Amino acid sequence: MEATTISGKTAEFQKDFTRVTRDIEASQKIHRESMTYLQGVVRTLKRNKVAVCSLVFILFLILVAVFGPILFPDYQKTDLLHTLQAPSKEHLLGTDELGRDVLTRLIRGTRISLFIGFAAETINLIIGVLYGGIAGFIGGKVDNAMMRVIDVLMSIPQTLVMILMLTVLKRGMGTLILSLTVTGWIGLARLVRGQILAMRENEYVIAARVLGAGKREILLNHLIPNAIGPIIVNYTMSIPGAIGAEAGMSYLGLGISVPEASWGNMLQFGASQFPASLWLFFAPAILFALSMLAFNLLGDGLRDALDPKMRK
Amino acid sequence: MRNYIIKRILLAIVTIFVVMTLTFFIMHAIPGTPFRTGNDTISEESLAVLMTRYGLDQPLYKQYLKYVGNILRGDFGVSTSNGYRSVTEIILTAFPISADLGIRALIFGTIAGILLGIEASLHRGKAVDHLSTVIAIIGISVPSFVLGTVLQTVLGLGLSGWVKTVFHTDYQLFPIARWQSFRYTLIPSFVLGMGTVASLARLMRTSMLDVIDQDYIKTAKSKGISGWAIIWKHEVRNALMPVVTVLGRMIGGVVTGSYIIESQFAIPGLGKYLVNSITARDYTMTMGLTVFYSIFIVASMLLVDLLYCVIDPRVRLAK
């Protein structure tokens, strides 16, 4: 009795619907093209507006650093009749105590400060990746010995190393960059070593080994590409540190010295003239703060974009 | 556990030894003598007497041994820029002031940084979160002398000028120099603590976000524990672990990193002596302070590592 009513109801429903046969071929079709790692990174990064703005700003700074001093070469030209002038049409950001144009010096300072940041951190990148990579990959006693060296170096604060080297050696850009690299690579070396150690035990590395891949192949094809994300993030975020360290040294008179311009010595001079000549302080201070923000925010964005696990 | 402690102590000793040796050889790589540094006119006889007096005519290895021996006995030599006062004596009078400043900055920085980090993590992606990121980045990267200058001018000079025109007194709520009473410590401690605020806020935020996703938080929620109790008892307490480690490394950085603030605010701490010794090219003083600073940093890091294995049961079990 009940069965007939159910089947009756089913028949009633079936009137409104038509059966569609399942098209197996169509359901197997892949509609979106598969993406490479790089395409994925670019796509995630593009969605992050803050990171894109930061990247554009940093590229702009690099352009200024490369071409600016060629277009405005007179950063040392003094004009003693027009010292400490407020911003005007002739001098968009005013002049300093010797009548030098602040905007021109700021452009020159951008080249010097960015060069210090990029040069020092690139050296740190190379040393750090090699040191950490070797320690992590060889492992065992070699790793142990290499890590003890790092333990010792880590206890020496960077400011003290910089002060010592800049006091004793010839002051200037070379010594400054050198002093930034004495202990600067340690963070990256530890990071790379940790990454390599963790990844060596991953299934895909074991699988590669089982399939007969050599040590070299594992290192180049599996370990380094997988560790590259955190390395790039670390590199991006350490550049402002190096630029800031130069500024700190400028306060002690150990940074880049006048008549050469750097953000550090312009900030230092601007601070000494504060609040009488506001433009001398705010011009470098705002540019400095914006660049620091840009490098850090780009680093944050890259961290999300480079890590496949963070991708939505 | 015992092996671990012994290993850490040995490592600390080696580190201090390496710093001492490096400092010694850097010091001796400088051409000339500490007594004739430019304009001084010292006769050959007096120079010879001075060289013998301070053992500088001895062979290098003997000088090295003597130097190490002296440091072990707490003798860092004499400071040429401070009327030949002993460096040890200067350290003993000036270090407590630096430590005082450092501790105030650390207390302010830790509390403010942790609270800011918690606040940011609880309102992830909202205005508070973005604001704390901006504060953190500016705080880490803008050199302290810039912030110091602004506060000195606006809060120090600006405020006292206003007070003078309105109330006709010379009272300064925020004096801009020297180290006398609580009022004097406010701006320097704030400026020095900003770096700590910044890095702790970021660290605390990340650490909190990690903890919030853990299963035991879900369990606590499903047990019906109130929101505040979960935040304070479960989330904050667990998120604090990584912060404690970093804090240990920070103590050294904050206490030694005050040189700019000390010379800017005329605080008679070690940092001010360090800056002065650099400008006066007083090598013994610079080197002595460097060695002292490293010993201090190594010792504070050692202490924190040992404390850490008391606090965190996992470290204890692993060793």
Side-chain angles (χ1 to χ4, degrees):
Chain A
M1 179 68 190
E2 258 194 353
T4 48
T5 44
I6 288 173
S7 63
K9 268 185 187 168
T10 326
E12 207 173 294
F13 281 130
Q14 275 178 350
K15 273 195 292 182
D16 299 334
F17 297 96
T18 48
R19 186 182 280 270
V20 180
T21 48
R22 188 159 164 247
D23 186 352
I24 292 175
E25 222 163 83
S27 69
Q28 293 289 315
K29 209 171 155 192
I30 295 166
H31 287 275
R32 216 160 62 173
E33 268 178 53
S34 71
M35 277 195 302
T36 60
Y37 175 61
L38 197 67
Q39 284 172 324
V41 169
V42 172
R43 192 185 63 165
T44 320
L45 198 62
K46 267 189 191 162
R47 282 192 196 149
N48 186 343
K49 286 200 185 79
V50 177
V52 172
C53 289
S54 307
L55 183 63
V56 170
F57 184 68
I58 291 168
L59 290 177
F60 168 71
L61 282 182
I62 293 174
L63 280 181
V64 169
V66 175
F67 298 108
I70 301 171
L71 299 174
F72 302 93
D74 294 332
Y75 71 98
Q76 290 186 337
K77 199 177 94 188
T78 56
D79 179 1
L80 294 174
L81 294 175
H82 302 94
T83 58
L84 294 174
Q85 293 215 320
S88 63
K89 261 186 192 166
E90 271 171 54
H91 301 286
L92 283 177
L93 292 174
T95 60
D96 69 2
E97 86 283 18
L98 292 174
R100 292 174 294 208
D101 183 48
V102 173
L103 181 63
T104 315
R105 287 186 69 72
L106 207 55
I107 290 170
R108 177 73 188 180
T110 305
R111 171 184 274 193
I112 300 295
S113 285
L114 283 192
F115 181 77
I116 292 171
F118 275 101
E121 291 311 326
T122 307
I123 297 172
N124 285 339
L125 178 80
I126 296 167
I127 303 177
V129 168
L130 285 179
Y131 196 96
I134 292 170
F137 195 63
I138 297 178
K141 276 186 184 160
V142 178
D143 174 39
N144 212 344
M146 287 173 92
M147 289 321 284
R148 292 294 83 76
V149 173
I150 283 194
D151 281 338
V152 169
L153 283 175
M154 227 172 63
S155 318
I156 310 172
Q158 189 173 41
T159 16
L160 285 187
V161 175
M162 294 186 74
I163 289 175
L164 266 184
M165 291 190 64
L166 289 164
T167 316
V168 173
L169 302 175
K170 198 172 134 256
R171 278 172 210 183
M173 196 145 77
T175 314
L176 197 68
I177 292 173
L178 189 70
S179 66
L180 279 166
T181 58
V182 174
T183 55
W185 51 273
I186 288 173
L188 196 66
R190 279 163 53 100
L191 180 94
V192 172
R193 172 184 172 268
Q195 288 273 321
I196 301 257
L197 277 185
M199 283 186 314
R200 256 173 36 158
E201 306 306 321
N202 269 346
E203 283 87 350
Y204 60 83
V205 175
I206 298 170
R209 199 176 298 149
V210 170
L211 290 171
K215 274 195 169 178
R216 197 186 140 84
E217 205 180 327
I218 292 177
L219 187 68
L220 292 179
N221 291 344
H222 298 285
L223 297 183
I224 289 181
N226 276 296
I228 204 100
I231 293 172
I232 293 176
V233 173
N234 186 287
Y235 178 69
T236 316
M237 294 199 151
S238 59
I239 288 172
I243 296 175
E246 187 271 323
M249 286 301 119
S250 283
Y251 183 79
L252 298 176
L254 295 175
I256 300 295
S257 44
V258 208
E260 188 56 271
S262 79
W263 289 350
N265 66 31
M266 293 187 71
L267 268 176
Q268 203 274 320
F269 185 72
S272 72
Q273 297 290 313
F274 189 81
S277 311
L278 284 177
W279 64 93
L280 276 178
F281 176 72
F282 280 112
I286 290 174
L287 184 64
F288 185 88
L290 281 180
S291 337
M292 298 294 122
L293 269 175
F295 274 108
N296 276 290
L297 293 173
L298 177 66
D300 275 345
L302 280 174
R303 176 178 323 183
D304 294 347
L306 289 167
D307 187 352
K309 276 172 268 167
M310 295 279 286
R311 225 176 270 162
K312 281 161 209 151
Chain B
M1 178 73 182
R2 179 185 285 169
N3 282 344
Y4 175 69
I5 294 177
I6 293 172
K7 220 165 108 186
R8 285 292 293 115
I9 292 176
L10 279 179
L11 193 68
I13 294 172
V14 171
T15 309
I16 292 170
F17 197 72
V18 168
V19 174
M20 244 158 55
T21 313
L22 282 180
T23 318
F24 177 82
F25 285 106
I26 289 176
M27 183 154 67
H28 282 263
I30 311 165
T33 72
F35 306 109
R36 207 189 264 166
T37 51
N39 302 332
D40 309 6
T41 43
I42 297 180
S43 66
E44 285 300 322
E45 292 82 33
S46 330
L47 189 66
V49 170
L50 280 171
M51 294 291 271
T52 330
R53 167 101 166 68
Y54 291 104
L56 292 172
D57 52 347
Q58 306 266 327
L60 203 58
Y61 78 94
K62 270 193 184 169
Q63 287 189 41
Y64 175 67
L65 289 179
K66 193 168 172 243
Y67 167 82
V68 173
N70 281 344
I71 288 185
L72 290 181
R73 273 184 273 116
D75 178 7
F76 288 99
V78 290
S79 162
T80 46
S81 69
N82 289 289
Y84 291 88
R85 262 172 85 196
S86 109
V87 175
T88 315
E89 187 199 315
I90 296 176
I91 290 176
L92 286 179
T93 49
F95 182 64
I97 297 173
S98 287
D100 187 14
L101 172 64
I103 290 167
R104 281 167 203 270
L106 267 180
I107 293 175
F108 159 70
T110 314
I111 296 176
I114 288 177
L115 288 181
L116 196 64
I118 295 174
E119 198 58 25
S121 71
L122 294 179
H123 304 277
R124 192 182 180 182
K126 304 260 174 64
V128 188
D129 191 12
H130 296 309
L131 185 73
S132 91
T133 311
V134 173
I135 292 179
I137 293 169
I138 300 279
I140 291 174
S141 47
V142 169
S144 49
F145 69 85
V146 173
L147 186 62
T149 308
V150 175
L151 290 182
Q152 245 177 350
T153 320
V154 177
L155 280 184
L157 296 176
L159 195 69
S160 64
W162 179 78
V163 165
K164 196 167 185 180
T165 48
V166 177
F167 300 106
H168 304 287
T169 61
D170 279 336
Y171 184 78
Q172 285 183 310
L173 184 61
F174 301 110
I176 56 162
R178 297 202 308 279
W179 189 255
Q180 286 169 349
S181 63
F182 180 67
R183 286 183 292 132
Y184 289 79
T185 66
L186 289 172
I187 301 182
S189 314
F190 176 80
V191 175
L192 186 59
M194 256 327 267
T196 317
V197 172
S199 32
L200 284 191
R202 284 195 111 180
L203 185 69
M204 189 66 193
R205 176 180 177 274
T206 337
S207 177
M208 279 288 282
L209 290 177
D210 278 349
V211 172
I212 287 173
D213 285 338
Q214 298 287 328
D215 287 341
Y216 56 78
I217 300 295
K218 264 181 221 149
T219 313
K221 274 183 190 156
S222 56
K223 267 164 57 184
I225 298 175
S226 75
W228 277 109
I230 290 179
I231 290 172
W232 287 105
K233 281 197 177 156
H234 296 276
E235 294 177 358
V236 174
R237 243 175 109 174
N238 282 298
L240 273 177
M241 277 328 282
V243 176
V244 173
T245 344
V246 176
L247 203 59
R249 309 209 172 271
M250 256 175 206
I251 296 174
V254 168
V255 173
T256 56
S258 57
Y259 62 95
I260 287 180
I261 288 147
E262 283 177 14
S263 58
Q264 191 174 19
F265 288 83
I267 298 166
L270 269 194
K272 191 167 160 277
Y273 280 100
L274 181 68
V275 175
N276 288 346
S277 74
I278 293 167
T279 27
R281 293 185 168 271
D282 178 356
Y283 293 130
T284 358
M285 185 77 184
T286 313
M287 306 290 169
L289 288 180
T290 312
V291 172
F292 175 77
Y293 274 143
S294 331
I295 293 175
F296 178 77
I297 289 171
V298 171
S300 62
M301 269 166 63
L302 175 70
L303 203 68
V304 171
D305 276 5
L306 297 184
L307 271 181
Y308 197 59
C309 54
V310 177
I311 301 170
D312 191 345
R314 280 170 301 183
V315 176
R316 228 179 316 169
L317 288 174
K319 298 292 164 186

